[in-house]
Amino acid sequence: MVPIAGNVPGLEYNFTVREGPSYWVAPARVPVWILMIETTISVVSSKALLTLFGACDQHLRKIREMLDVSIWAHDGRIHIEGDEAAVSRATEVLEQLQSYATRHGQLADEDVQRVLSSVSEGQQQLRLPPIEVFKVGRQIRPRTAGQARYVEAMRDSELVLCSGPAGTGKTYLAVAMATAALRAEIVRKIVLVRPAVEAGESLGFLPGDLQAKINPYLRPLMDALREMMDYDLLQRYQQEDLIEVIPLAYMRGRTLNEAFIILDEAQNTTVAQMKMFLTRMGNGSQIVVSGDTSQIDLPAHARSGLVDGIERLRKIEGVVAIKLSRADIVRHPLVQEILGAYEGSPRKGGPKKSGPRKGGSKARG
C-alpha cells in the first residue's frame, strides 16, 4: 500500500494505491479524469495470451475500442486501466474469453463479439429492480443479458413468446413474474398450463384419480412455485383458486380475466392448440409462452405451435418474441457443454452422403 500526496495547479489531492488488484481512493473533489483504476489478470502461458489477444492483437484492439480501456501484458499478467465501470467490464470480458479459450483451445472473432455484447448488455440486468415474491427476504434477479431482456419483456408486454434451451430460466422467471404480479395485486390469479405430452416414451395407464394422472406433467411448475412461496400459502391459494395448475386440454372454452397465464413446454403444442390457448386471454390478463424448440415431442408430421406462433405473431404490436441461447444457461456449468455436444453430434444413422446419383447426375446442394 503506497500513500501518495501532491497537488495539481489549483487542487490538492491525496489518494492511496493498492497493489494486487489496485485502485485509488480519492476525495470527491478530485476531477473525474483523475479517478482511474488498474487491475490485473494472471495468464497461464504465452500461448494462452496469444490466443486471448488474437493474431496481430485483433481481439485486444476490439476490446480496447469497445470498452475504452488500456490493456497490456507484462510478466505473465494482463493489466487493465481505465475508469471503474470500464475496467470492471473489460475484466469480465477477458475472464470469460480466457475460460472459453481454455475449454475450446481457440477464439474466433464472433466469440469475442458475443462475449462483449453479453457483458455490455448484462450491465442492464444490474439496474433492473428485483422480482419480489412471497417468501420473506427472497428476491429474484435475471443472471444473464438474455434473461434481463426476457424479464423486461414480461414487464412491458401483454404477450411474450420465449424460446431457448434447457436451463435458461424460461419457466422459473415466468413463474417469478406471475408471483410478483399476484403479490402486487396486478392480477387476481395465476394460471399455469402444460401440454400432457410424453417425452419419447409411453407411460401407459397411470393409476389414481384425474389429479394424480396429470400431476407428473405439472410437477415442474409446482417446483418453481414452491421456491416463491411457503407451502401453506401455496396450498391456501390453490384451494381459493388464486393459483391454478392445469393441462392445456382443459383450457378450451374458457376466458381468463385479470390473470397471469403461463404456457410451459409450448414446443409440444400443435398450431390449433396454440391458437386455442392464446384466444383464452381476457381483459387485464397477460400471457407468457415458453419452450425449447430443440426438444419437440410431437409426431413428425405435426408443426409446433411455438415455432408457428413466433413466426406468425412477432410483428403484432404488443407481442414480443425473446430467444435465449446457451449463453443464458444458469444450471450446472456442464449443461452448456452437454448441449453443445448434442448439437454438434451427427443424427441417427450418420450424416447423409452427397455424391452422384444413379445415372450420373449430381445431387443438388
Side-chain angles (χ1 to χ4, degrees):
M1 187 179 299
V2 184
I4 300 176
N7 64 80
V8 175
L11 173 68
E12 294 182 358
Y13 59 93
N14 192 331
F15 54 84
T16 301
V17 177
R18 293 186 180 180
E19 298 177 353
S22 59
Y23 56 90
W24 299 350
V25 180
R29 57 180 176 161
V30 176
V32 174
W33 55 267
I34 291 180
L35 298 176
M36 306 287 283
I37 69 168
E38 179 188 329
T39 189
T40 61
I41 302 173
S42 61
V43 185
V44 177
S45 64
S46 56
K47 182 180 179 181
L49 184 65
L50 179 61
T51 302
L52 192 59
F53 281 9
C56 302
D57 289 345
Q58 59 180 351
H59 301 335
L60 176 62
R61 287 198 303 273
K62 180 176 288 189
I63 297 169
R64 281 174 176 166
E65 291 169 4
M66 288 194 67
L67 301 181
D68 193 23
V69 290
S70 298
I71 304 175
W72 70 95
H74 181 67
D75 289 339
R77 300 187 74 84
I78 300 172
H79 297 255
I80 309 163
E81 185 181 72
D83 69 69
E84 185 175 2
V87 168
S88 175
R89 288 194 296 270
T91 302
E92 186 175 351
V93 166
L94 287 168
E95 286 177 344
Q96 286 192 29
L97 290 175
Q98 190 173 28
S99 175
Y100 185 90
T102 300
R103 295 196 307 269
H104 299 276
Q106 60 183 1
L107 280 177
D109 285 342
E110 53 267 27
D111 298 323
V112 178
Q113 186 60 52
R114 174 178 52 80
V115 172
L116 277 166
S117 299
S118 175
V119 169
S120 297
E121 293 173 8
Q123 302 304 310
Q124 297 293 330
Q125 74 202 44
L126 302 177
R127 293 191 284 272
L128 286 176
I131 304 170
E132 302 280 355
V133 293
F134 283 99
K135 278 200 173 178
V136 177
R138 174 88 186 212
Q139 292 184 335
I140 297 170
R141 293 180 183 271
R143 293 167 57 184
T144 69
Q147 287 188 348
R149 290 195 302 273
Y150 183 33
V151 169
E152 278 194 297
M154 287 189 284
R155 283 198 168 114
D156 298 337
S157 306
E158 294 176 321
L159 173 56
V160 176
L161 305 167
C162 180
S163 65
T168 51
K170 302 181 298 296
T171 303
Y172 189 81
L173 289 173
V175 172
M177 289 295 292
T179 307
L182 184 63
R183 180 177 182 269
E185 299 183 355
I186 297 170
V187 296
R188 291 190 304 168
K189 71 180 297 180
I190 297 172
V191 181
L192 306 177
V193 185
R194 256 196 171 203
V197 176
E198 296 163 346
E201 57 182 323
S202 178
L203 300 179
F205 173 77
L206 292 174
D209 59 13
L210 177 63
Q211 193 61 40
K213 294 177 191 295
I214 64 176
N215 271 344
Y217 297 103
L218 305 177
R219 184 61 182 267
L221 297 171
M222 295 301 298
D223 290 342
L225 273 174
R226 289 190 183 106
E227 292 196 31
M228 314 290 173
M229 59 181 66
D230 294 328
Y231 178 80
D232 291 339
L233 182 62
L234 175 57
Q235 292 299 307
R236 178 160 66 85
Y237 277 8
Q238 284 188 280
Q239 290 171 6
E240 295 173 358
D241 206 31
L242 296 178
I243 294 178
E244 189 177 359
V245 187
I246 59 173
L248 176 61
Y250 292 2
M251 290 290 288
R252 187 175 297 279
R254 300 184 64 182
T255 299
L256 297 168
N257 297 313
E258 297 180 65
F260 198 116
I261 313 160
I262 299 171
L263 175 58
D264 190 37
E265 293 292 312
Q267 76 275 5
N268 287 326
T269 62
T270 64
V271 174
Q273 286 176 321
M274 180 63 75
K275 178 185 176 183
M276 179 274 292
F277 171 78
L278 294 177
T279 52
R280 302 307 95 198
M281 177 187 273
N283 294 321
S285 289
Q286 178 177 357
I287 288 181
V288 176
V289 176
S290 67
D292 179 0
T293 54
S294 69
Q295 296 188 22
I296 297 174
D297 299 310
L298 295 171
H301 64 274
R303 179 168 170 79
S304 166
L306 178 60
V307 174
D308 179 81
I310 290 173
E311 294 177 3
R312 191 186 297 268
L313 306 175
R314 59 186 175 186
K315 293 183 180 179
I316 297 177
E317 186 177 354
V319 179
V320 176
I322 298 291
K323 184 173 178 61
L324 301 178
S325 67
R326 283 169 53 194
D328 298 303
I329 292 173
V330 292
R331 285 184 187 165
H332 192 287
L334 274 177
V335 173
Q336 283 194 14
E337 302 300 324
I338 291 168
L339 286 175
Y342 275 99
E343 288 171 4
S345 62
R347 295 185 178 182
K348 185 178 180 181
K352 293 181 179 180
K353 296 180 180 180
S354 60
R357 296 177 179 175
K358 290 182 178 181
S361 61
K362 294 183 178 180
R364 293 179 182 177

